[in-house]
Amino acid sequence: MGIELQNHQSHQEDGPAEEPTSRWLLNTPEPPSMWQELVGYIRKNVLSKKDNRRNKTKNSSSNPVYSCLKSVFPILIWGRQYKLNLFKKDLMAGLTLASLCIPQSIGYANLAGLDPEYGLYTSVVPPLIYSTMGSSRELAIGPVAVVSLLLSSMVRDLEDPVTDPIAYRKIVFTVTFFAGAFQAIFGLFRLGFLVDFLSHAALVGFMAGAAIVIGLQQLKGLFGLSHFTNKTDVVSVLSSVFHSLHHSWQPLNFVIGSSFLIFILLARFLGKRNKKLFWIPAMAPLISVILATLIVYLTNAETRGVKIVKHIKPGFNQPSVNQLQFNSPHLGHIVKIGLISAIIALTEAIAVGRSFATIKGYRLDGNKEMMAMGCMNIAGSLTSCYVATGSFSRTAVNFSAGCETVVSNIVMAITVMISLQVLTRFLYFTPTAILASIILSALPGLIDISGAIHIWKLDKLDFLVLAAAFFGVLFASVEIGLLLAVGISFARIMLSSIRPNIEALGRLSKTDIFGDINQYPMAIKTPGLLTLRISSPLLCFANANFIRDRILNSVSEVEEEDNEQEVKNDKVLQVLILDMSCVMGIDTSGVVALEELHQELASNDIRLVIASPRWRILHKLKRAKLEDKVKQENIFMTVGEAVDVYVRARSPSHDLC
């Protein structure tokens, strides 16, 4: 320790004394006010037009309208370079996508409590809108299982789709409108961080719980049950299944459904074993629908108790503007469901889109994705569609089929439009058991067991969030599962903010680096000095008293150690250096806590030194006159400078007090 002290002294005494860099710190101008920051944020993120210099041409720069259109509709950029060889790949990918999309859309509409044609409508207008505005090349747009379950479970509390299907459908369209409006607002005002409230762990747990609930609900179609619960929790669903099995049911439904479920799973197994056979699992659902429908039609199986889809309304999307319920007594609940649906749909779509964009080596624009999703759902709500988003299973098929651009979505949408006009009569005899088997076959992809194990190994608190979402969805409802996951995530953040760590620092030998002595046991403590770092971005009403008490406790512990060794070594604590480099903001309670800390230390003849205060922190200290109380010479740019100055002051030629 003596050697270290001599090194500091010799370092400071060599050569003429220089002006401390803390003078630069104290003479900084005032930071911008909150109003100036808000105006600057709006100008930078909302009103600014980002120039893409690589694509900027003389014509576009002279035509601001065209430049604005290009920023909203990326198809105007890549469409000019689109070639025939790209269309061949997109055509095959789009047709393959449609073969998977048609049966899935019918099944997901049934899951959402809507007639089959509304699932097909949702696979027409939203993909067409997205293909002009989206920035992802592979994302396949349409209805998905999780959002369908979400709508079914939450809208069912407002209207029963069995007793009043028209009122139920109107609420679903209104929810879709608000979901699109929220998504567009998120994109317009660059509010993508709201989607991050659903962490990766929460999403993994939510998806797994939803997959199990969806799977259990498909037992109604798989067994051909007539009496079934409207609730989504696992206890109610299983209870309904056991009670329904005591009534008469036709085993032919189970035979058809389970047989084709095995066929689809085998096709998927072959596709995974050989990537060149990707078209087999993609075509398997459509082949299953065709074969099952033919079997029912040729054998008159519906007369033997096999439940069929029956009537599907032919024709293109019908206008639904007059069905939006803006004067509904349930408007508050509708808006809430729309917000939850918007966040879930965005989270899934952006996660899927970014995954495949990374593989292809390009960047996905999150704000453009939100705008595209919002506009396509608003347009969908006006054309008899419900909430659409990007599907992982269909996007994987689209990618494997060799798609190059979103033209594959256009091809898929046109194919579905033709099917609506031509194939609806054929689909009359489609058994509901085959739709249940198609949905069941898609569910394993929603359960990420390896991801859950990885989260458990990496972070136990994150796994707690995962478990809360999983069990909340499984045993309560979709809404409660989400609230539990978000609530625990926020509680974790609040706990770390309210009870932050106070780290004792020491200098690493032969460096100017100061590290936590618990992390670096070899760090050297300087006699008479205690250096503490506040590991919290905020010093505010929620944690100010706790931080002050923790600091005083640390001082008391050091004083007790010094008193025990006072006879042998002169190491009585004289200076407390407070490293505030991590603190980004401070409020009135934080300033008061610092004043009380200064007074308490001064009464014990201990000098408070503040090191590395941020721009806004220092500005608040000046406003509160705390800078004068602590004295300007006790504010330093770095911890190293503060230690060097006070080590030199401890030399015999200086008087610290």
mmCIF file of all heavy atoms in Angstrom, residues 1-5 7-8 504-511 513-517 520-527 529 531 643:
data_model
loop_
_atom_site.group_PDB
_atom_site.id
_atom_site.type_symbol
_atom_site.label_atom_id
_atom_site.label_comp_id
_atom_site.label_asym_id
_atom_site.label_seq_id
_atom_site.Cartn_x
_atom_site.Cartn_y
_atom_site.Cartn_z
ATOM 1 N N MET A 1 0.829 -1.204 0.000
ATOM 2 C CA MET A 1 0.000 0.000 0.000
ATOM 3 C C MET A 1 0.859 1.248 0.000
ATOM 4 O O MET A 1 0.563 2.237 -0.642
ATOM 5 C CB MET A 1 -0.927 -0.012 1.230
ATOM 6 C CG MET A 1 -1.989 1.069 1.204
ATOM 7 S SD MET A 1 -3.129 0.814 -0.167
ATOM 8 C CE MET A 1 -3.943 -0.679 0.390
ATOM 9 N N GLY A 2 1.983 1.180 0.751
ATOM 10 C CA GLY A 2 2.901 2.314 0.782
ATOM 11 C C GLY A 2 3.505 2.585 -0.569
ATOM 12 O O GLY A 2 3.702 3.725 -0.975
ATOM 13 N N ILE A 3 3.846 1.483 -1.296
ATOM 14 C CA ILE A 3 4.394 1.633 -2.650
ATOM 15 C C ILE A 3 3.392 2.320 -3.557
ATOM 16 O O ILE A 3 3.731 3.208 -4.343
ATOM 17 C CB ILE A 3 4.797 0.259 -3.214
ATOM 18 C CG1 ILE A 3 5.918 -0.340 -2.362
ATOM 19 C CG2 ILE A 3 5.218 0.362 -4.658
ATOM 20 C CD1 ILE A 3 6.271 -1.767 -2.757
ATOM 21 N N GLU A 4 2.119 1.918 -3.426
ATOM 22 C CA GLU A 4 1.071 2.523 -4.268
ATOM 23 C C GLU A 4 0.933 4.003 -3.973
ATOM 24 O O GLU A 4 0.794 4.827 -4.865
ATOM 25 C CB GLU A 4 -0.256 1.783 -4.002
ATOM 26 C CG GLU A 4 -1.428 2.277 -4.841
ATOM 27 C CD GLU A 4 -1.252 1.914 -6.290
ATOM 28 O OE1 GLU A 4 -0.456 1.004 -6.605
ATOM 29 O OE2 GLU A 4 -1.889 2.572 -7.124
ATOM 30 N N LEU A 5 0.979 4.360 -2.689
ATOM 31 C CA LEU A 5 0.874 5.761 -2.294
ATOM 32 C C LEU A 5 2.033 6.565 -2.847
ATOM 33 O O LEU A 5 1.859 7.675 -3.361
ATOM 34 C CB LEU A 5 0.815 5.851 -0.760
ATOM 35 C CG LEU A 5 0.706 7.257 -0.159
ATOM 36 C CD1 LEU A 5 -0.560 7.926 -0.649
ATOM 37 C CD2 LEU A 5 0.719 7.171 1.376
ATOM 38 N N ASN A 7 3.782 5.884 -5.510
ATOM 39 C CA ASN A 7 3.606 6.018 -6.967
ATOM 40 C C ASN A 7 2.680 7.173 -7.289
ATOM 41 O O ASN A 7 2.916 7.946 -8.220
ATOM 42 C CB ASN A 7 3.049 4.719 -7.543
ATOM 43 C CG ASN A 7 4.082 3.603 -7.542
ATOM 44 O OD1 ASN A 7 5.273 3.868 -7.502
ATOM 45 N ND2 ASN A 7 3.610 2.349 -7.590
ATOM 46 N N HIS A 8 1.576 7.271 -6.520
ATOM 47 C CA HIS A 8 0.645 8.379 -6.749
ATOM 48 C C HIS A 8 1.311 9.715 -6.482
ATOM 49 O O HIS A 8 1.126 10.680 -7.235
ATOM 50 C CB HIS A 8 -0.584 8.230 -5.844
ATOM 51 C CG HIS A 8 -1.549 7.197 -6.326
ATOM 52 N ND1 HIS A 8 -2.170 7.266 -7.545
ATOM 53 C CD2 HIS A 8 -1.988 6.054 -5.723
ATOM 54 C CE1 HIS A 8 -2.962 6.218 -7.695
ATOM 55 N NE2 HIS A 8 -2.869 5.461 -6.607
ATOM 56 N N ALA A 504 -18.344 -0.963 -3.926
ATOM 57 C CA ALA A 504 -17.078 -0.409 -3.443
ATOM 58 C C ALA A 504 -16.006 -0.647 -4.510
ATOM 59 O O ALA A 504 -15.859 -1.758 -5.019
ATOM 60 C CB ALA A 504 -16.680 -1.070 -2.130
ATOM 61 N N LEU A 505 -15.274 0.420 -4.873
ATOM 62 C CA LEU A 505 -14.321 0.353 -5.978
ATOM 63 C C LEU A 505 -12.881 0.383 -5.473
ATOM 64 O O LEU A 505 -12.579 0.961 -4.415
ATOM 65 C CB LEU A 505 -14.539 1.516 -6.947
ATOM 66 C CG LEU A 505 -15.944 1.707 -7.512
ATOM 67 C CD1 LEU A 505 -15.959 2.886 -8.478
ATOM 68 C CD2 LEU A 505 -16.439 0.452 -8.201
ATOM 69 N N GLY A 506 -12.010 -0.235 -6.253
ATOM 70 C CA GLY A 506 -10.578 -0.181 -6.012
ATOM 71 C C GLY A 506 -9.845 -0.059 -7.331
ATOM 72 O O GLY A 506 -10.368 -0.437 -8.386
ATOM 73 N N ARG A 507 -8.605 0.482 -7.278
ATOM 74 C CA ARG A 507 -7.825 0.677 -8.494
ATOM 75 C C ARG A 507 -7.132 -0.622 -8.888
ATOM 76 O O ARG A 507 -6.521 -1.297 -8.055
ATOM 77 C CB ARG A 507 -6.774 1.764 -8.289
ATOM 78 C CG ARG A 507 -6.036 2.154 -9.580
ATOM 79 C CD ARG A 507 -4.797 2.981 -9.265
ATOM 80 N NE ARG A 507 -5.085 4.284 -8.744
ATOM 81 C CZ ARG A 507 -5.211 5.391 -9.492
ATOM 82 N NH1 ARG A 507 -5.080 5.314 -10.801
ATOM 83 N NH2 ARG A 507 -5.458 6.547 -8.926
ATOM 84 N N LEU A 508 -7.268 -0.982 -10.178
ATOM 85 C CA LEU A 508 -6.550 -2.140 -10.699
ATOM 86 C C LEU A 508 -5.094 -1.757 -10.916
ATOM 87 O O LEU A 508 -4.796 -0.694 -11.479
ATOM 88 C CB LEU A 508 -7.183 -2.625 -12.002
ATOM 89 C CG LEU A 508 -8.647 -3.083 -11.901
ATOM 90 C CD1 LEU A 508 -9.140 -3.594 -13.241
ATOM 91 C CD2 LEU A 508 -8.807 -4.164 -10.848
ATOM 92 N N SER A 509 -4.187 -2.602 -10.466
ATOM 93 C CA SER A 509 -2.762 -2.291 -10.444
ATOM 94 C C SER A 509 -2.249 -1.853 -11.810
ATOM 95 O O SER A 509 -2.582 -2.454 -12.841
ATOM 96 C CB SER A 509 -1.977 -3.518 -9.965
ATOM 97 O OG SER A 509 -0.603 -3.249 -9.926
ATOM 98 N N LYS A 510 -1.447 -0.775 -11.805
ATOM 99 C CA LYS A 510 -0.789 -0.228 -12.993
ATOM 100 C C LYS A 510 -1.772 0.282 -14.045
ATOM 101 O O LYS A 510 -1.464 0.344 -15.228
ATOM 102 C CB LYS A 510 0.138 -1.266 -13.629
ATOM 103 C CG LYS A 510 1.255 -1.745 -12.709
ATOM 104 C CD LYS A 510 2.130 -2.775 -13.396
ATOM 105 C CE LYS A 510 3.228 -3.248 -12.463
ATOM 106 N NZ LYS A 510 4.099 -4.265 -13.105
ATOM 107 N N THR A 511 -2.995 0.642 -13.621
ATOM 108 C CA THR A 511 -3.991 1.204 -14.543
ATOM 109 C C THR A 511 -4.703 2.359 -13.850
ATOM 110 O O THR A 511 -4.538 2.596 -12.649
ATOM 111 C CB THR A 511 -5.040 0.154 -14.960
ATOM 112 O OG1 THR A 511 -5.883 -0.142 -13.838
ATOM 113 C CG2 THR A 511 -4.398 -1.112 -15.471
ATOM 114 N N ILE A 513 -7.994 2.263 -14.038
ATOM 115 C CA ILE A 513 -9.315 1.637 -14.040
ATOM 116 C C ILE A 513 -9.711 1.298 -12.611
ATOM 117 O O ILE A 513 -8.924 0.730 -11.855
ATOM 118 C CB ILE A 513 -9.323 0.363 -14.906
ATOM 119 C CG1 ILE A 513 -8.961 0.708 -16.356
ATOM 120 C CG2 ILE A 513 -10.680 -0.328 -14.843
ATOM 121 C CD1 ILE A 513 -8.781 -0.508 -17.238
ATOM 122 N N PHE A 514 -10.939 1.638 -12.240
ATOM 123 C CA PHE A 514 -11.478 1.316 -10.927
ATOM 124 C C PHE A 514 -12.611 0.314 -11.104
ATOM 125 O O PHE A 514 -13.565 0.551 -11.856
ATOM 126 C CB PHE A 514 -11.989 2.576 -10.220
ATOM 127 C CG PHE A 514 -10.882 3.467 -9.723
ATOM 128 C CD1 PHE A 514 -10.204 4.302 -10.601
ATOM 129 C CD2 PHE A 514 -10.505 3.453 -8.396
ATOM 130 C CE1 PHE A 514 -9.168 5.106 -10.155
ATOM 131 C CE2 PHE A 514 -9.476 4.258 -7.940
ATOM 132 C CZ PHE A 514 -8.800 5.083 -8.825
ATOM 133 N N GLY A 515 -12.502 -0.824 -10.405
ATOM 134 C CA GLY A 515 -13.495 -1.876 -10.528
ATOM 135 C C GLY A 515 -14.062 -2.287 -9.192
ATOM 136 O O GLY A 515 -13.496 -1.993 -8.124
ATOM 137 N N ASP A 516 -15.202 -2.980 -9.242
ATOM 138 C CA ASP A 516 -15.856 -3.493 -8.044
ATOM 139 C C ASP A 516 -14.917 -4.477 -7.335
ATOM 140 O O ASP A 516 -14.439 -5.441 -7.949
ATOM 141 C CB ASP A 516 -17.159 -4.186 -8.453
ATOM 142 C CG ASP A 516 -17.955 -4.687 -7.266
ATOM 143 O OD1 ASP A 516 -17.508 -4.508 -6.123
ATOM 144 O OD2 ASP A 516 -19.026 -5.276 -7.494
ATOM 145 N N ILE A 517 -14.674 -4.261 -6.061
ATOM 146 C CA ILE A 517 -13.714 -5.107 -5.341
ATOM 147 C C ILE A 517 -14.236 -6.533 -5.164
ATOM 148 O O ILE A 517 -13.458 -7.462 -4.929
ATOM 149 C CB ILE A 517 -13.358 -4.506 -3.960
ATOM 150 C CG1 ILE A 517 -14.612 -4.338 -3.106
ATOM 151 C CG2 ILE A 517 -12.629 -3.185 -4.126
ATOM 152 C CD1 ILE A 517 -14.324 -3.875 -1.693
ATOM 153 N N TYR A 520 -13.291 -7.864 -8.615
ATOM 154 C CA TYR A 520 -11.827 -7.848 -8.756
ATOM 155 C C TYR A 520 -11.190 -7.800 -7.361
ATOM 156 O O TYR A 520 -10.873 -6.707 -6.858
ATOM 157 C CB TYR A 520 -11.380 -6.643 -9.579
ATOM 158 C CG TYR A 520 -12.026 -6.551 -10.933
ATOM 159 C CD1 TYR A 520 -13.081 -5.668 -11.155
ATOM 160 C CD2 TYR A 520 -11.595 -7.345 -11.994
ATOM 161 C CE1 TYR A 520 -13.685 -5.583 -12.397
ATOM 162 C CE2 TYR A 520 -12.196 -7.268 -13.236
ATOM 163 C CZ TYR A 520 -13.243 -6.383 -13.432
ATOM 164 O OH TYR A 520 -13.845 -6.303 -14.667
ATOM 165 N N PRO A 521 -11.016 -8.949 -6.725
ATOM 166 C CA PRO A 521 -10.425 -8.950 -5.368
ATOM 167 C C PRO A 521 -9.019 -8.367 -5.326
ATOM 168 O O PRO A 521 -8.565 -7.924 -4.261
ATOM 169 C CB PRO A 521 -10.407 -10.442 -5.001
ATOM 170 C CG PRO A 521 -11.421 -11.082 -5.901
ATOM 171 C CD PRO A 521 -11.385 -10.297 -7.166
ATOM 172 N N MET A 522 -8.322 -8.362 -6.467
ATOM 173 C CA MET A 522 -6.960 -7.827 -6.479
ATOM 174 C C MET A 522 -6.932 -6.296 -6.549
ATOM 175 O O MET A 522 -5.859 -5.693 -6.476
ATOM 176 C CB MET A 522 -6.185 -8.411 -7.656
ATOM 177 C CG MET A 522 -6.535 -7.846 -9.036
ATOM 178 S SD MET A 522 -8.208 -8.265 -9.622
ATOM 179 C CE MET A 522 -8.056 -10.042 -9.786
ATOM 180 N N ALA A 523 -8.093 -5.660 -6.674
ATOM 181 C CA ALA A 523 -8.134 -4.198 -6.748
ATOM 182 C C ALA A 523 -7.598 -3.589 -5.451
ATOM 183 O O ALA A 523 -7.861 -4.093 -4.352
ATOM 184 C CB ALA A 523 -9.559 -3.724 -7.017
ATOM 185 N N ILE A 524 -6.874 -2.477 -5.588
ATOM 186 C CA ILE A 524 -6.179 -1.868 -4.448
ATOM 187 C C ILE A 524 -7.022 -0.740 -3.865
ATOM 188 O O ILE A 524 -7.447 0.172 -4.580
ATOM 189 C CB ILE A 524 -4.809 -1.322 -4.893
ATOM 190 C CG1 ILE A 524 -3.953 -2.465 -5.453
ATOM 191 C CG2 ILE A 524 -4.106 -0.625 -3.728
ATOM 192 C CD1 ILE A 524 -2.696 -1.987 -6.125
ATOM 193 N N LYS A 525 -7.271 -0.803 -2.555
ATOM 194 C CA LYS A 525 -7.964 0.273 -1.856
ATOM 195 C C LYS A 525 -6.949 1.333 -1.427
ATOM 196 O O LYS A 525 -5.861 1.000 -0.965
ATOM 197 C CB LYS A 525 -8.679 -0.266 -0.619
ATOM 198 C CG LYS A 525 -9.796 -1.248 -0.907
ATOM 199 C CD LYS A 525 -10.437 -1.683 0.403
ATOM 200 C CE LYS A 525 -11.518 -2.715 0.166
ATOM 201 N NZ LYS A 525 -12.122 -3.165 1.445
ATOM 202 N N THR A 526 -7.317 2.584 -1.570
ATOM 203 C CA THR A 526 -6.428 3.676 -1.161
ATOM 204 C C THR A 526 -6.713 4.039 0.291
ATOM 205 O O THR A 526 -7.876 4.246 0.648
ATOM 206 C CB THR A 526 -6.646 4.902 -2.066
ATOM 207 O OG1 THR A 526 -6.479 4.507 -3.424
ATOM 208 C CG2 THR A 526 -5.664 6.007 -1.728
ATOM 209 N N PRO A 527 -5.715 4.122 1.142
ATOM 210 C CA PRO A 527 -5.923 4.436 2.570
ATOM 211 C C PRO A 527 -6.636 5.771 2.750
ATOM 212 O O PRO A 527 -6.305 6.769 2.093
ATOM 213 C CB PRO A 527 -4.506 4.491 3.138
ATOM 214 C CG PRO A 527 -3.670 3.711 2.172
ATOM 215 C CD PRO A 527 -4.291 3.900 0.836
ATOM 216 N N LEU A 529 -9.524 6.633 1.871
ATOM 217 C CA LEU A 529 -10.535 6.924 0.844
ATOM 218 C C LEU A 529 -11.496 5.748 0.723
ATOM 219 O O LEU A 529 -11.089 4.588 0.784
ATOM 220 C CB LEU A 529 -9.889 7.161 -0.520
ATOM 221 C CG LEU A 529 -8.923 8.333 -0.675
ATOM 222 C CD1 LEU A 529 -8.428 8.401 -2.114
ATOM 223 C CD2 LEU A 529 -9.587 9.633 -0.294
ATOM 224 N N THR A 531 -14.339 4.668 -2.107
ATOM 225 C CA THR A 531 -14.929 4.989 -3.411
ATOM 226 C C THR A 531 -16.118 4.071 -3.646
ATOM 227 O O THR A 531 -15.980 2.849 -3.648
ATOM 228 C CB THR A 531 -13.901 4.806 -4.543
ATOM 229 O OG1 THR A 531 -12.741 5.580 -4.243
ATOM 230 C CG2 THR A 531 -14.474 5.255 -5.867
ATOM 231 N N VAL A 643 -9.032 10.577 -6.925
ATOM 232 C CA VAL A 643 -8.134 9.798 -6.066
ATOM 233 C C VAL A 643 -6.729 10.385 -6.084
ATOM 234 O O VAL A 643 -6.081 10.543 -5.036
ATOM 235 C CB VAL A 643 -8.124 8.316 -6.509
ATOM 236 C CG1 VAL A 643 -7.017 7.552 -5.776
ATOM 237 C CG2 VAL A 643 -9.471 7.672 -6.238
#
